[in-house]
Amino acid sequence: MLLPDQVIPFLQHDHSEVREHAARYLSEAHDPSPATADDFWRSIDRFGAEASVALVSDLVELPWTAQSYVRLMETLRSGPAEIVEYHLQRTVERLDYPLLLAHREEVLSAEPILPHVRDHLRQRIEMSDRPLAAVWDDLLVHSQKIEGMYVDEIDMRESDRLIEAAARHGGPAGLLALDRLRNGPRDDWMEIFCVRLLGDLRFAPAVDVLIERLDVDADLLPAELGRALARVGTADVIEKLEAFYPGKDLYVRMSINEALARIKRPDTERSVLRLLDRETEEELPTQLAEALCHLCTTEGLGAVERMVDEGNYDSQFCDLDEVFLTAAAMTGYEPRNGADLRRRVERRRKRREERMKSATANDLLRELRDRYRRGEFALPEPDEGDGDFALGDEPELPEWDGYAPPAGETIRRDAPKVGRNDPCPCGSGKKYKKCCLSKAHV
């Protein structure tokens, strides 16, 4: 598989799908070094911010430098397009803490920054010297206050501030969170906050407890556990996740697969290939194959190609042919049926781009931006049915040569909705469930 230093040059690739694949690899990596936000800015400056929304949306996931901060403020002051400005404001919210402290006067007075964002930053700074006991008590009170509320009813930035303040205390905060997971109440917001804190600290002593909790069927917890384990990202985590995998419920194995896709180590590639070879559940081989592509696998592309050629994957989960072609381009692998695959994928991309120009998609994007500018954080309501049907007038069926989809009645909705598997209305190019819907949960 490719390692981060080998992926960085693809941020300058002429094809946008390759740049975006490289950006996703680095932004989700347990450790993207030597990549920094500077590498993303170089690509954004070359190709333009509006053509690089996927990179702009993930800037915050990379380590920042002083130069990255300068570029951020320059771009905000330049009056960027609304979709770019939306993502830059979200980036400012999570600005690297040392940079925030170093530039506090400018940030708190900068006119382009929205008032509710400045208020959030001010509160982050005010917590800089708070003792751990006080922060912990506040986090407990906050978790009790929001207990029973839905995610879209909560401004999660309050928990972000408290978790960040606790993480600055290092190991002692990790021990508090680990003790709470072992001995405290279950299935509450505080449990999720402890998992997030342990992930932010990359707290290796918590690995066994985090893996044990994967076996709990809860709405948000499995995804949070997977992210935390990926943040630790050691060879020990890979080995223990693979050992825990057999015989577990579907949601457990899906969380493990998502965690492994973020750990950019050669050990992960070998582990995912072994899991793929043994997996019999209908949905999971597709996810494992996608994970291999997001790892930029070199050993596993033959196995993925066979699934694509045979149509042996779940196209409602992902467009495996697209991610396969991109991973193949980055690793120098030439598919047997590359020309036919590329034509099929290009036709689908063009249809998707046209759908995203529709009035419904524009309404969703406008709604998302307007809510954010007002300081409201409820997201467009996800369609819990067949999510791929929400933005277009018809379902997008697999496009096999010689296959004609049956005629059917047009599906229309009275109000804009976005399906979990639709392109996110924020314009990042990711699926809604992998982008803004996911960010609302963290």
Side-chain angles (χ1 to χ4, degrees):
M1 61 171 282
L2 301 185
L3 297 177
D5 62 324
Q6 298 170 294
V7 171
I8 292 171
F10 289 103
L11 295 171
Q12 301 294 327
H13 199 276
D14 288 337
H15 294 292
S16 61
E17 61 269 17
V18 173
R19 297 196 300 273
E20 291 171 9
H21 195 95
R24 174 170 179 166
Y25 173 107
L26 294 166
S27 65
E28 292 187 349
H30 75 289
D31 178 8
S33 60
T36 70
D38 291 355
D39 296 298
F40 276 41
W41 277 113
R42 277 188 282 273
S43 179
I44 294 165
D45 290 342
R46 177 180 174 187
F47 296 101
E50 288 187 74
S52 308
V53 174
L55 277 71
V56 175
S57 71
D58 281 336
L59 273 168
V60 74
E61 306 296 340
L62 278 291
W64 273 60
T65 69
Q67 182 58 35
S68 292
Y69 169 79
V70 170
R71 290 295 297 112
L72 171 65
M73 299 305 295
E74 287 176 348
T75 308
L76 272 174
R77 289 191 172 104
S78 71
E82 287 185 314
I83 191 170
V84 175
E85 193 256 354
Y86 165 77
H87 285 293
L88 291 179
Q89 296 282 354
R90 296 290 296 263
T91 297
V92 172
E93 285 186 350
R94 295 171 58 194
L95 186 64
D96 183 73
Y97 194 73
L99 288 174
L100 174 59
L101 292 184
H103 300 278
R104 69 176 76 186
E105 292 185 10
E106 179 184 18
V107 170
L108 296 181
S109 61
E111 189 173 323
I113 299 177
L114 294 172
H116 69 82
V117 176
R118 287 202 300 268
D119 184 58
H120 167 66
L121 297 173
R122 185 177 296 106
Q123 292 182 67
R124 285 180 64 194
I125 292 170
E126 288 171 355
M127 290 186 177
S128 59
D129 297 323
R130 299 207 64 200
L132 176 58
V135 173
W136 190 256
D137 287 344
D138 286 347
L139 190 58
L140 284 167
V141 170
H142 171 64
S143 69
Q144 292 163 3
K145 181 178 68 176
I146 65 175
E147 192 61 38
M149 296 173 65
Y150 293 106
V151 171
D152 62 3
E153 298 174 320
I154 305 168
D155 179 359
M156 297 298 289
R157 295 182 304 179
E158 183 173 354
S159 54
D160 292 343
R161 294 190 293 267
L162 290 165
I163 291 168
E164 177 186 55
R168 285 197 290 274
H169 292 275
L175 291 173
L176 273 177
L178 181 55
D179 181 68
R180 176 58 162 69
L181 279 187
R182 282 174 171 156
N183 304 308
R186 302 288 179 92
D187 302 325
D188 61 1
W189 276 108
M190 193 62 187
E191 182 178 36
I192 291 173
F193 296 158
C194 287
V195 171
R196 286 182 53 198
L197 175 57
L198 291 167
D200 288 352
L201 290 169
R202 302 178 187 269
F203 200 68
V207 165
D208 289 339
V209 173
L210 293 172
I211 291 177
E212 174 192 326
R213 294 296 289 146
L214 277 170
D215 221 357
V216 176
D217 188 4
D219 286 342
L220 304 180
L221 187 62
E224 295 289 353
L225 289 163
R227 278 189 283 267
L229 287 162
R231 292 277 289 171
V232 178
T234 60
D236 184 55
V237 170
I238 299 167
E239 181 180 345
K240 288 181 176 179
L241 284 174
E242 183 179 353
F244 192 74
Y245 187 97
K248 297 301 178 185
D249 286 340
L250 178 67
Y251 71 90
V252 177
R253 284 179 282 168
M254 291 185 73
S255 297
I256 291 173
N257 295 343
E258 289 186 1
L260 290 172
R262 293 169 177 263
I263 304 176
K264 312 300 186 181
R265 293 180 179 276
D267 287 354
T268 310
E269 179 184 37
R270 293 188 284 271
S271 176
V272 174
L273 279 167
R274 288 191 292 268
L275 294 176
L276 178 61
D277 186 57
R278 298 193 294 262
E279 185 55 74
T280 58
E281 190 81 36
E282 184 177 354
E283 298 93 337
L284 291 172
T286 302
Q287 189 191 28
L288 287 163
E290 183 188 38
L292 285 169
C293 292
H294 287 308
L295 290 166
C296 290
T297 180
T298 51
E299 295 182 22
L301 282 174
V304 179
E305 182 177 27
R306 286 191 293 274
M307 294 175 63
V308 170
D309 285 348
E310 296 167 6
N312 188 24
Y313 65 93
D314 181 1
S315 62
Q316 296 298 310
F317 181 85
C318 80
D319 294 316
L320 186 61
D321 50 359
E322 290 192 32
V323 291
F324 164 68
L325 280 178
T326 306
M330 293 173 67
T331 57
Y333 183 93
E334 182 53 43
R336 292 185 297 273
N337 301 316
D340 290 340
L341 274 176
R342 281 187 277 271
R343 281 194 295 269
R344 189 170 79 208
V345 165
E346 186 58 29
R347 287 197 298 267
R348 186 189 307 123
R349 282 182 181 141
K350 287 180 178 178
R351 290 204 308 271
R352 187 162 58 230
E353 288 171 4
E354 289 303 313
R355 284 201 339 233
M356 291 307 295
K357 295 175 184 176
S358 70
T360 299
N362 287 332
D363 287 346
L364 285 166
L365 178 54
R366 190 177 304 111
E367 180 183 7
L368 190 68
R369 285 198 312 257
D370 290 348
R371 284 177 174 178
Y372 182 79
R373 293 192 71 83
R374 294 193 301 267
E376 299 171 5
F377 301 97
L379 294 170
E381 179 184 353
D383 180 0
E384 297 296 343
D386 202 338
D388 287 326
F389 295 8
L391 285 182
D393 287 335
E394 74 285 325
E396 184 174 340
L397 296 172
E399 190 177 325
W400 305 107
D401 290 340
Y403 173 81
E409 183 179 352
T410 296
I411 298 174
R412 300 188 184 280
R413 301 188 185 275
D414 294 330
K417 285 192 177 184
V418 58
R420 297 172 62 85
N421 290 318
D422 278 317
C424 187
C426 78
S428 68
K430 302 176 187 176
K431 290 186 177 183
Y432 185 46
K433 67 184 179 184
K434 296 283 189 180
C435 192
C436 284
L437 186 61
S438 174
K439 291 173 183 175
H441 295 171
V442 296

